[in-house]
Amino acid sequence: MRRWFLIFIIAFLLMGCSQRNQKKEKVFTMGTEEFSKGIDPSNEWDGWYTMRYGIGETLFSLDENLHPQPWLASGYRAISANIWEIDLKSGILFSDGDTLTPQMVVKNLEHIAKKNKRAKFLENASYEIFGNTIRITMAQPRASLIGDLADPYACMIDLDHSDENHIVGSGPYTCEEFVADRHIILRPNPYYWDGKPKMDKVVVKKVFDKETGAMALDNGELDAFVALNEQSYRIFENLKKYHAQSIETSRLYAVYYNPETVEKSLREAIHLAINKEEMAQYLFYKNMTPTNTPFPDSTGFGDSEVKTAKYDVERAREILEQSGYRDEDGDGYLEKDGKKVQLHIHYYQRLSNEQVATQLITSLRNIGIFADITKNMDASYLKNGNYDLGLYTVVTLPKGDPQSFLEDVMSKEGVSNFNHFSDSRADELLNQFLTATGQQERTEIARQLVQIYSDAYYMECIGFAHSNAVTKKNVQGFILSPSQYRQISVDLDKGGE
């Protein structure tokens, strides 16, 4: 009996030692309001999440100035606006151990051309392979191709072993479990080509509102939370055990003017009456960069390169008076031709649109213009013309190149030309975009187009939203990028564990 008791004690002690010697699993848990229904990058906008979660990578990525740089590719050459050559890096493996070959790159490009409507420009492309070089011949000139291939829909995946529920990518992490609009569990990619992932497990959870996310971060349930509201961000920024970061993106808060109901002189006066600097400082707590143009200043075709009128309430009042706007009945609001001027502002619930709309009311009242606001389920009011001022949020540089946005808002067939902008000189410049492959030439075309658009007062550019995140102080390697495409990287780590 005594012998059995001793054996039991020894076994118990050995088991305890074994458990103590086991390495503790390093787990990173992140919360976010934005989640996806899938992680197949070729499906609509799901590629944003494939890349954010560290599963997929593209041939090119956008740097801090939103310029495309080689990622899975090692370089490129423009033979003409129709013909491009791309050199692929050697030794890149997918998470199943298979090699990313030029043939697989071509297979991916053909796949997304059929699957994603934003990649339809690739539909009739032809491909030639010379060693690790891929020559792409486009059916139509595509001078923006390199930026196009930085879009997350162009994540390279192992199509031979992937389906929409199981994506095999080249990123530092691979999906273990995915539940749509709920969570994703990630494990390190043992074949990753650019370093060794440091976390044993990464969990990304859907959080249904910002307040819940802030509470979960504060009570230790989360290591990071993305996109806090301004008040919560301000609190965490001043707490030593957290690291708060905020970065300017190209997501623009914009206001479309309806030129059929708001004449140009009134549009110009409204532009002068909006104090965007004050809005950024107090309404957004520095989580917005004010702007008068649709592109960040670092691009070479932003505020510093385009002539625009600055905030000037007195000048706004002068323009209104010169244009026949007067307060005839002494109620503080202006009339014209005997009729009260009343503007209808429409917005949809997205980011801080409601706060911007409310601030517009104040700006308009300050120059004697009466306005009301209407909340909508979506932005369909822009398509049907049911607005005087219509709010819209849009990413203006999703691929690091201005062509697509400027075509969308300025060309006659533009999908976002809601207020029917038309200008013959603009049409000429948009056509020049098709064949201009030099960066300096494209920058100058964009600058001229932005000047034309700004002078017309068809869109009021308010500011660029910032992407923000708060992590615990011991977290390193969590990425916030101006493109908003990247978050989880190979360098993600938690110190002290």
Side-chain angles (χ1 to χ4, degrees):
M1 182 74 178
R2 189 172 176 182
R3 187 180 64 161
W4 286 109
F5 178 74
L6 288 172
I7 291 172
F8 173 78
I9 291 297
I10 291 169
F12 180 78
L13 290 173
L14 287 173
M15 183 176 69
C17 289
S18 173
Q19 288 176 339
R20 283 195 298 273
N21 289 332
Q22 282 182 353
K23 179 187 172 186
K24 183 181 178 183
E25 192 173 52
K26 291 178 72 172
V27 180
F28 174 83
T29 306
M30 182 180 94
T32 177
E33 276 188 294
E34 287 191 26
F35 212 81
S36 65
K37 290 181 168 56
I39 52 172
D40 178 357
S42 66
N43 185 48
E44 296 184 346
W45 301 93
D46 289 348
W48 282 53
Y49 304 94
T50 317
M51 191 180 289
R52 283 180 180 178
Y53 302 155
I55 298 169
E57 298 170 325
T58 46
L59 295 171
F60 300 91
S61 65
L62 301 181
D63 65 15
E64 63 276 7
N65 294 315
L66 295 170
H67 297 148
Q69 303 293 341
W71 195 5
L72 297 178
S74 60
Y76 68 92
R77 292 166 296 284
I79 309 303
S80 68
N82 292 67
I83 304 173
W84 295 81
E85 288 185 348
I86 296 173
D87 302 319
L88 184 65
K89 283 178 180 171
S90 299
I92 294 172
L93 302 180
F94 290 113
S95 59
D96 60 359
D98 284 0
T99 301
L100 173 62
T101 63
Q103 289 78 9
M104 183 57 73
V105 170
V106 171
K107 192 171 182 178
N108 270 271
L109 297 179
E110 291 174 338
H111 174 71
I112 62 173
K114 296 174 184 174
K115 189 88 181 289
N116 195 298
K117 62 184 179 182
R118 290 180 291 125
K120 284 181 74 68
F121 61 88
L122 286 167
E123 259 185 342
N124 297 311
S126 61
Y127 303 90
E128 298 172 86
I129 295 172
F130 310 97
N132 248 27
T133 298
I134 304 157
R135 175 177 286 180
I136 305 175
T137 301
M138 306 295 296
Q140 300 293 330
R142 191 74 183 185
S144 62
L145 180 65
I146 300 305
D148 294 326
L149 298 180
D151 191 299
Y153 62 56
C155 282
M156 295 292 111
I157 65 174
D158 186 351
L159 287 169
D160 292 338
H161 301 108
S162 294
D163 57 50
E164 61 182 26
N165 298 312
H166 177 66
I167 298 300
V168 178
S170 65
Y173 289 90
T174 184
C175 178
E176 179 180 82
E177 178 180 286
F178 177 81
V179 179
D181 280 325
R182 290 291 176 177
H183 71 257
I184 185 169
I185 298 173
L186 304 162
R187 293 289 183 179
N189 172 4
Y191 302 102
Y192 190 55
W193 61 278
D194 196 24
K196 183 179 180 182
K198 298 170 177 62
M199 301 307 301
D200 299 311
K201 181 179 179 181
V202 174
V203 181
V204 182
K205 296 180 177 180
K206 164 92 172 185
V207 178
F208 289 91
D209 61 74
K210 296 183 186 299
E211 291 73 21
T212 301
M215 289 174 60
L217 181 62
D218 189 47
N219 66 26
E221 292 177 47
L222 300 175
D223 296 303
F225 184 64
V226 177
L228 290 87
N229 61 33
E230 286 74 25
Q231 295 80 9
S232 295
Y233 182 83
R234 191 170 186 171
I235 292 169
F236 281 105
E237 188 181 36
N238 293 307
L239 295 175
K240 291 183 178 179
K241 62 179 182 177
Y242 298 100
H243 175 60
Q245 52 182 320
S246 174
I247 190 169
E248 178 186 317
T249 72
S250 68
R251 187 176 292 279
L252 176 70
Y253 287 101
V255 180
Y256 279 90
Y257 291 112
N258 187 339
E260 293 184 8
T261 60
V262 186
E263 65 178 349
K264 186 175 182 181
S265 60
L266 180 52
R267 302 198 301 267
E268 184 179 358
I270 293 170
H271 167 78
L272 290 164
I274 302 172
N275 190 338
K276 299 167 187 176
E277 295 281 351
E278 186 177 272
M279 195 182 295
Q281 180 81 18
Y282 299 107
L283 183 63
F284 286 87
Y285 181 61
K286 303 176 185 176
N287 269 304
M288 181 191 83
T289 300
T291 187
N292 289 315
T293 56
F295 300 110
D297 213 23
S298 61
T299 59
F301 35 85
D303 274 14
S304 62
E305 301 297 327
V306 177
K307 295 178 182 178
T308 57
K310 310 303 180 189
Y311 171 66
D312 188 340
V313 171
E314 291 308 314
R315 177 60 185 146
R317 290 171 179 156
E318 287 176 11
I319 290 171
L320 291 173
E321 186 172 359
Q322 292 166 4
S323 302
Y325 292 85
R326 292 179 177 80
D327 181 7
E328 303 287 358
D329 56 11
D331 67 349
Y333 292 106
L334 301 178
E335 292 84 27
K336 185 174 183 182
D337 300 328
K339 294 182 180 180
K340 177 81 70 181
V341 179
Q342 181 170 343
L343 299 180
H344 304 291
I345 301 172
H346 285 254
Y347 76 95
Y348 60 104
Q349 194 63 51
R350 180 80 170 94
L351 300 175
S352 297
N353 275 350
E354 184 172 8
Q355 293 95 311
V356 173
T358 303
Q359 189 63 35
L360 286 176
I361 293 280
T362 303
S363 298
L364 290 168
R365 185 186 299 128
N366 204 23
I367 56 172
I369 301 296
F370 180 85
D372 55 39
I373 57 176
T374 301
K375 179 179 177 180
N376 298 261
M377 292 296 293
D378 53 37
S380 58
Y381 49 85
L382 293 171
K383 292 182 179 179
N384 59 37
N386 185 28
Y387 68 98
D388 296 317
L389 280 70
L391 269 72
Y392 195 57
T393 59
V394 57
V395 176
T396 61
L397 285 171
K399 304 171 185 179
D401 188 273
Q403 180 180 343
S404 61
F405 174 80
L406 292 172
E407 285 178 340
D408 286 350
V409 299
M410 297 182 74
S411 70
K412 291 180 177 64
E413 299 80 22
V415 295
S416 300
N417 189 0
F418 301 118
N419 47 5
H420 310 296
F421 175 86
S422 179
D423 183 278
S424 58
R425 175 60 181 149
D427 292 339
E428 292 175 14
L429 288 165
L430 288 170
N431 283 330
Q432 289 178 29
F433 253 141
L434 297 176
T435 55
T437 57
Q439 187 59 52
Q440 189 172 350
E441 183 182 5
R442 295 182 69 77
T443 296
E444 178 55 24
I445 293 170
R447 189 198 63 75
Q448 292 183 51
L449 282 166
V450 172
Q451 188 68 68
I452 291 170
Y453 199 50
S454 298
D455 290 344
Y457 295 104
Y458 265 57
M459 175 185 284
E460 189 64 49
C461 300
I462 302 293
F464 298 108
H466 286 200
S467 175
N468 74 49
V470 173
T471 62
K472 290 179 180 176
K473 203 73 173 182
N474 67 334
V475 172
Q476 300 97 37
F478 181 80
I479 296 176
L480 276 187
S481 65
S483 66
Q484 298 181 276
Y485 296 157
R486 301 183 65 186
Q487 292 176 350
I488 293 168
S489 75
V490 68
D491 296 319
L492 180 67
D493 199 4
K494 287 170 66 175
E497 293 196 11

